[in-house]
């Protein structure tokens, strides 16, 4: 018969060595979007509630609880250290091109062993990959990658909205800003899903509606952003159909609402309200 003590297994090894390795991944720029199912190390001792795990390690069971504490997902990214589980580390290895650990039990020429040593070997392999990426990617190339992404986003915006030349410059800048932020989040999602490199852009020049819906559903920080983009689409469509000389008041009212909107406040609601009842 197995004793009670033998039945108690920690979901991941938690000691100073593992936490130091996780922190190294953070400092090397490991991408992470806070979500339910992640273990995190509260290195800065922000959380006042005791954890059931040692070393101030917490499990994200409710995103709302954590955003109430930190204020936003961005603050969580800044102040917490993600401690990937074995399965998450294996996924990272696969997505980063380190190795197909699920099919081949070797990483960097070494047999992948179970236990803490194998766990740390996964972390070390990810760290080496991140370090190599930084070394091999000069600043100019990083700029080129971002430029390629922005060019793709411009094409998507033109495909969806057409020319914005008839709109005031500040409105054009606002629309571009929302599309840029949405597009960068969308591209990150697509690259992970399709296992593509950082400079890849989709062949199509439209946002996939289902993927946008998933992005808004799984990452609460993007909900208002995507709502704002939807409102902008409707507002631009409405403005294009208007004759400013005959509907000057309604036209200017919609322009004013569009200029005042921002995806981090209640702007989308105001625009949608004006579209439903422009008078």
């Amino acid at each position: 018969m197995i004793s009670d003590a033998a039945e108690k297994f920690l979901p991941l090894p938690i000691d100073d060595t593992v936490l130091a390795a996780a922190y190294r991944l953070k400092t090397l720029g490991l991408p992470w979007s806070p979500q339910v199912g992640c273990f995190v190390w509260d290195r800065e001792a922000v959380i006042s509630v005791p954890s059931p795990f040692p070393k101030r390690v917490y499990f994200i069971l409710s995103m709302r609880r954590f955003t109430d504490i930190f204020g936003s997902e961005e603050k969580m990214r800044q102040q917490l250290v993600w401690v990937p589980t074995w399965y998450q580390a294996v996924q990272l290895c696969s997505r980063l091109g380190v190795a197909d650990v699920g099919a081949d039990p070797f990483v960097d020429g070494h047999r992948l062993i179970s236990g803490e040593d194998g766990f740390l070997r996964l972390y070390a392999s990810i760290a080496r990959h991140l370090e190599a990426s930084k070394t091999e990617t000069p600043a100019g190339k990083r700029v080129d990658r971002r430029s390629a992404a922005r060019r793709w986003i411009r094409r998507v915006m033109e495909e969806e909205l057409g020319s914005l030349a008839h709109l005031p410059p500040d409105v054009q800048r606002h629309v571009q800003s929302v599309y840029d932020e949405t597009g960068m989040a969308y591209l990150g999602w697509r690259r992970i899903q399709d296992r593509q490199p950082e400079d890849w852009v989709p062949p199509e020049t439209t946002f996939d509606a289902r993927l946008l819906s998933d992005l808004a559903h799984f990452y609460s920080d993007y909900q208002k952003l995507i709502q704002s983009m939807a409102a902008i689409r409707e507002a631009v469509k409405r403005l294009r159909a208007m004759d400013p000389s005959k509907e000057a008041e309604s036209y200017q009212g919609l322009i004013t609402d569009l200029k005042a909107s921002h995806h981090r406040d209640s702007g989308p609601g105001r625009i949608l309200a004006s579209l439903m009842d422009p008078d």
Side-chain angles (χ1 to χ4, degrees):
M1 180 176 179
I2 300 175
S3 68
D4 289 341
E7 291 178 352
K8 295 177 182 178
F9 299 104
L10 284 175
L12 77 167
I14 301 174
D15 60 26
D16 292 338
T17 305
V18 168
L19 297 183
Y23 182 64
R24 184 182 177 215
L25 294 179
K26 178 183 176 73
T27 60
L28 289 171
L30 178 68
W32 174 55
S33 294
Q35 56 189 293
V36 170
C38 288
F39 284 90
V40 291
W41 176 28
D42 181 22
R43 182 172 177 269
E44 300 179 17
V46 177
I47 304 172
S48 60
V49 180
S51 170
F53 302 101
K55 305 287 184 179
R56 299 195 61 82
V57 170
Y58 293 79
F59 180 73
I60 300 179
L61 187 61
S62 166
M63 280 296 297
R64 175 170 292 184
R65 180 73 181 113
F66 277 79
T67 53
D68 283 347
I69 294 171
F70 288 87
S72 68
E73 289 187 19
E74 181 56 36
K75 288 290 186 182
M76 289 176 63
R77 275 190 288 269
Q78 292 173 5
Q79 295 181 274
L80 291 172
V81 178
W82 178 32
V83 187
T85 62
W86 175 279
Y87 178 65
Q88 289 168 337
V90 167
Q91 286 183 303
L92 282 169
C93 284
S94 178
R95 291 176 182 177
L96 292 172
V98 175
D100 188 1
V101 181
D104 185 355
F106 288 85
V107 175
D108 292 341
H110 298 282
R111 176 172 291 277
L112 189 59
I113 57 176
S114 60
E116 185 174 327
D117 287 344
F119 191 64
L120 289 171
R121 187 170 293 171
L122 281 174
Y123 274 30
S125 296
I126 296 167
R128 280 192 292 272
H129 177 84
L130 295 172
E131 283 181 326
S133 298
K134 284 192 171 187
T135 302
E136 296 168 2
T137 306
K141 192 169 183 181
R142 287 198 296 270
V143 171
D144 288 343
R145 286 178 175 177
R146 195 165 184 85
S147 296
R150 291 193 182 281
R151 285 195 297 272
W152 181 81
I153 293 167
R154 297 290 192 281
R155 293 196 296 272
V156 171
M157 191 176 75
E158 289 170 3
E159 180 77 19
E160 294 187 350
L161 304 180
S163 173
L164 301 180
H166 62 293
L167 298 178
D170 52 348
V171 174
Q172 294 182 41
R173 287 192 294 271
H174 170 69
V175 172
Q176 184 66 69
S177 173
V178 173
Y179 263 80
D180 279 346
E181 193 168 347
T182 305
M184 295 306 291
Y186 178 92
L187 282 174
W189 180 281
R190 279 293 304 274
R191 287 164 180 164
I192 291 174
Q193 257 200 350
D194 296 357
R195 297 188 177 184
Q196 296 293 339
E198 293 179 4
D199 56 352
W200 178 85
V201 296
E204 72 276 6
T205 53
T206 57
F207 290 131
D208 183 279
R210 181 176 295 179
L211 287 183
L212 282 181
S213 176
D214 288 346
L215 192 63
H217 177 73
F218 291 111
Y219 297 93
S220 58
D221 270 6
Y222 297 129
Q223 288 177 0
K224 290 185 178 179
L225 172 64
I226 292 171
Q227 289 170 4
S228 182
M229 191 180 71
I232 283 172
R233 287 170 171 169
E234 292 299 321
V236 171
K237 179 180 177 181
R238 176 87 184 210
L239 287 167
R240 182 169 285 110
M242 284 183 175
D243 184 341
S245 64
K246 296 180 181 178
E247 305 173 86
E249 187 174 345
S250 296
Y251 186 91
Q252 189 55 49
L254 193 52
I255 285 286
T256 300
D257 283 345
L258 185 53
K259 286 163 60 176
S261 73
H262 195 279
H263 64 268
R264 299 199 189 281
D265 57 29
S266 59
R270 294 178 60 207
I271 294 178
L272 289 173
S274 69
L275 288 169
M276 295 171 66
D277 185 11
D279 295 328

